């Protein structure tokens, strides 16, 4: 397959690294719940669809299995996901190896397999924290791969398994139209497409489709035939609008805090009007249509993920605010400066506390999609 797009210089927006109360490592329990909830589904996917014989033999190096976790951040969720994948593939390999022991000419399965795991995120990700947190008892080789997953990261046909959790709702960039005061899609007074006009929503939707197609094209080049890809993607139910979900409404609420601060002269109104979050939550039907435009993957499974910890984490006011701050503070600091962060999130905290919508578990209606793709021979 000829490469049409190589390396992408996407906007960088890593989670909070380092130390302190607002770092991602301390405020990612919601994402942890999704990783844990997907464990059995990943085990079933590998058991049913991962053919160690064919997949290993199609790689450039025999008896080596290459895994990649894209959008790994600083841990610990990436290590949970990788360990689960590693254990299941190892077990599957050992079982298939035993079936071939009676074949004297099958020398490949008499050699121990080596597992190499690649941890990927933006160049500005805190890889130091990630590497310091690597499990000391791990039985796989580990390496960091900085760069945007919207473009190429690995050689052709070099990966057997790709995992990506809570990352694909991030866009490679904010749609240019929503920041252009002369465009019908100018998103003045808002920082997201929630409750915005149809032109704004379309600009975001088009950017998401472009980014997803780029992501899929790059992975199609990097995965071996028969290789698997598991994606955990935050989404919006088909029957709901973004304004009906907590994911969309909390971004709208945060934007209203910035507008209030602009009116008080605490931040520049011009900066607020030209700032938008590079995040988009697709519906299941929208995502399925995009994936089907790429002929190199078959959808083996796509369904809503049941996250039992969903209702235990975010309804708590402090956890919700810390969760959002860990994810967005770096992006907001870059635009408005570090000195207003406490004021901004204090205001956000007060507005969330006054909202019965956010703290009611019945309104936690955003979903996460479990998507299993398999690399086709074409």
């Amino acid at each position: 397959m000829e490469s049409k797009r190589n390396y992408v210089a996407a906007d960088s927006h890593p989670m909070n690294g380092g130390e302190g109360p607002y770092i991602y490592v301390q405020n990612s329990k919601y994402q942890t719940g999704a990783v844990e909830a997907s464990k059995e589904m990943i085990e079933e996917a590998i058991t049913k669809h991962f053919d160690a014989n064919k997949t290993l033999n199609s790689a450039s190096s025999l008896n080596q299995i290459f895994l990649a976790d894209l959008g790994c951040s600083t841990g610990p969720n990436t290590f949970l996901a990788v360990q689960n994948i590693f254990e299941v593939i190892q077990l599957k390999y050992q079982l298939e190896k035993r079936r071939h022991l009676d074949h004297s000419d099958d020398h490949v399965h008499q050699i121990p397999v080596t597992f190499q795991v690649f941890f990927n995120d933006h160049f500005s990700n805190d890889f130091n924290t990630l590497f310091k947190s690597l499990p000391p008892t791990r039985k796989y080789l580990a390496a960091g791969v900085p760069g945007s997953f919207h473009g190429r990261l690995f050689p052709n046909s070099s990966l057997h398994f790709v995992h990506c959790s809570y990352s694909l709702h991030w866009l490679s960039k904010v749609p240019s139209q929503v920041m252009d005061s002369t465009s019908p899609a100018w998103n003045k007074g808002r920082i997201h497409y929630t409750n915005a006009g149809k032109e704004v929503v379309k600009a975001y939707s088009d950017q998401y489709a472009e980014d997803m197609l780029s992501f899929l094209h790059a992975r199609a080049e990097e995965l071996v035939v028969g290789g698997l890809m598991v994606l955990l993607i935050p989404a919006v139910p088909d029957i709901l609008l973004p304004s009906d979900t907590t994911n969309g409404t909390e971004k709208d609420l945060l934007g209203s805090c910035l507008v209030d601060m602009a009116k008080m002269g605490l931040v520049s109104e011009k900066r607020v009007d030209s700032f938008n979050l590079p995040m988009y939550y697709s519906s299941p039907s929208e995502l399925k249509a995009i994936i089907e435009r790429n002929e190199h993957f078959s959808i083996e499974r796509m369904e809503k993920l049941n996250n039992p910890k969903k209702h235990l984490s975010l309804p708590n006011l402090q956890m919700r605010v810390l969760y959002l701050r860990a994810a967005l503070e770096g992006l907001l600091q870059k635009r408005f400066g570090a000195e207003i962060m406490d004021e901004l999130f204090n205001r956000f905290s007060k507005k969330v506390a006054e909202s019965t919508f956010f703290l009611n578990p019945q309104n936690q209606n955003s979903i996460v999609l479990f998507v299993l793709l398999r690399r086709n021979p074409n």
Side-chain angles (χ1 to χ4, degrees):
M1 185 172 84
E2 185 180 354
S3 175
K4 297 179 181 178
R5 186 174 184 180
N6 290 322
Y7 307 102
V8 175
D11 294 340
S12 182
H13 29 72
M15 307 296 101
N16 273 354
E19 299 178 352
Y22 310 124
I23 61 174
Y24 176 81
V25 170
Q26 301 296 330
N27 300 288
S28 57
K29 290 183 175 61
Y30 182 76
Q31 294 93 325
T32 302
V35 171
E36 292 174 346
S38 68
K39 181 176 180 179
E40 290 186 5
M41 299 171 78
I42 290 177
E43 290 175 354
E44 183 179 333
I46 293 172
T47 301
K48 184 176 181 181
H49 298 286
F50 189 85
D51 189 322
N53 283 316
K54 293 181 180 179
T55 307
L56 281 174
N57 289 337
S58 65
S60 57
S61 300
L62 297 179
N63 287 87
Q64 298 181 74
I65 293 181
F66 296 94
L67 318 177
D69 186 48
L70 309 182
C72 64
S73 191
T74 55
N77 297 326
T78 184
F79 303 132
L80 291 175
V82 163
Q83 184 63 28
N84 180 40
I85 296 166
F86 163 76
E87 289 177 355
V88 181
I89 291 181
Q90 184 182 49
L91 177 61
K92 174 101 184 232
Y93 175 82
Q94 290 172 347
L95 290 174
E96 293 191 10
K97 175 182 176 181
R98 292 190 189 118
R99 295 192 189 105
H100 290 79
L101 284 179
D102 295 334
H103 299 273
S104 59
D105 59 338
D106 195 359
H107 64 281
V108 171
H109 287 270
Q110 299 174 24
I111 305 173
V113 68
T114 300
F115 289 82
Q116 171 73 61
V117 177
F118 298 104
F119 296 94
N120 157 260
D121 214 307
H122 285 286
F123 288 98
S124 54
N125 182 58
D126 185 3
F127 281 102
N128 285 336
T129 294
L130 177 76
F131 295 147
K132 289 177 184 177
S133 305
L134 279 169
T137 59
R138 69 188 183 279
K139 297 181 180 179
Y140 54 81
L141 304 176
V145 179
S148 170
F149 56 46
H150 290 112
R152 289 294 302 274
L153 294 166
F154 304 97
N156 288 347
S157 302
S158 61
L159 298 177
H160 300 99
F161 198 103
V162 170
H163 179 267
C164 185
S165 174
Y166 271 87
S167 299
L168 280 169
H169 61 298
W170 286 94
L171 303 176
S172 65
K173 63 180 180 179
V174 173
S176 58
Q177 308 97 297
V178 304
M179 299 181 292
D180 182 358
S181 61
T182 66
S183 169
W186 185 32
N187 202 22
K188 177 178 172 59
R190 299 185 184 280
I191 66 170
H192 202 229
Y193 62 89
T194 307
N195 287 316
K198 61 181 181 180
E199 296 86 358
V200 176
V201 176
K202 185 178 187 304
Y204 266 90
S205 177
D206 289 348
Q207 184 64 52
Y208 179 79
E210 178 184 333
D211 286 345
M212 274 299 302
L213 288 171
S214 295
F215 174 87
L216 293 170
H217 181 79
R219 303 296 84 77
E221 293 183 321
E222 296 165 351
L223 274 164
V224 301
V225 171
L228 300 181
M229 182 156 61
V230 167
L231 312 174
L232 303 184
I233 306 176
V236 175
D238 282 310
I239 60 174
L240 297 180
L241 297 172
S243 56
D244 296 325
T245 68
T246 50
N247 273 342
T249 305
E250 68 184 359
K251 310 301 187 301
D252 206 36
L253 199 64
L254 184 65
S256 72
C257 295
L258 283 169
V259 170
D260 292 344
M261 293 173 70
K263 290 178 180 178
M264 297 177 64
L266 299 176
V267 294
S268 164
E269 181 179 356
K270 185 178 180 180
R271 280 187 171 272
V272 174
D273 287 341
S274 60
F275 175 78
N276 286 264
L277 293 172
M279 307 169 78
Y280 182 80
Y281 301 95
S282 70
S283 66
S285 59
E286 180 182 15
L287 177 62
K288 185 173 184 288
I290 294 172
I291 295 174
E292 288 176 342
R293 289 169 61 184
N294 183 294
E295 61 184 10
H296 303 294
F297 288 102
S298 60
I299 301 176
E300 301 296 333
R301 188 174 184 179
M302 182 175 176
E303 63 186 71
K304 175 184 172 182
L305 182 69
N306 179 28
N307 180 358
K309 291 189 176 181
K310 175 179 179 179
H311 299 302
L312 301 178
S313 56
L314 295 190
N316 177 287
L317 171 60
Q318 183 181 12
M319 292 183 71
R320 173 173 286 279
V321 175
L322 290 174
Y323 157 80
L324 198 66
R325 185 164 182 170
L328 300 181
E329 185 171 40
L331 186 63
L332 291 162
Q333 276 188 8
K334 191 183 298 184
R335 183 63 175 173
F336 301 104
E339 62 275 6
I340 74 155
M341 290 300 106
D342 287 342
E343 173 74 14
L344 173 60
F345 283 98
N346 283 340
R347 287 173 176 270
F348 176 73
S349 178
K350 291 178 182 178
K351 290 197 175 189
V352 171
E354 295 169 355
S355 170
T356 56
F357 178 85
F358 283 101
L359 302 183
N360 183 351
Q362 299 303 317
N363 291 331
Q364 305 297 316
N365 48 18
S366 300
I367 62 175
V368 177
L369 294 176
F370 177 93
V371 182
L372 172 64
L373 304 180
R374 187 174 185 178
R375 179 63 168 89
N376 292 330
N378 56 326

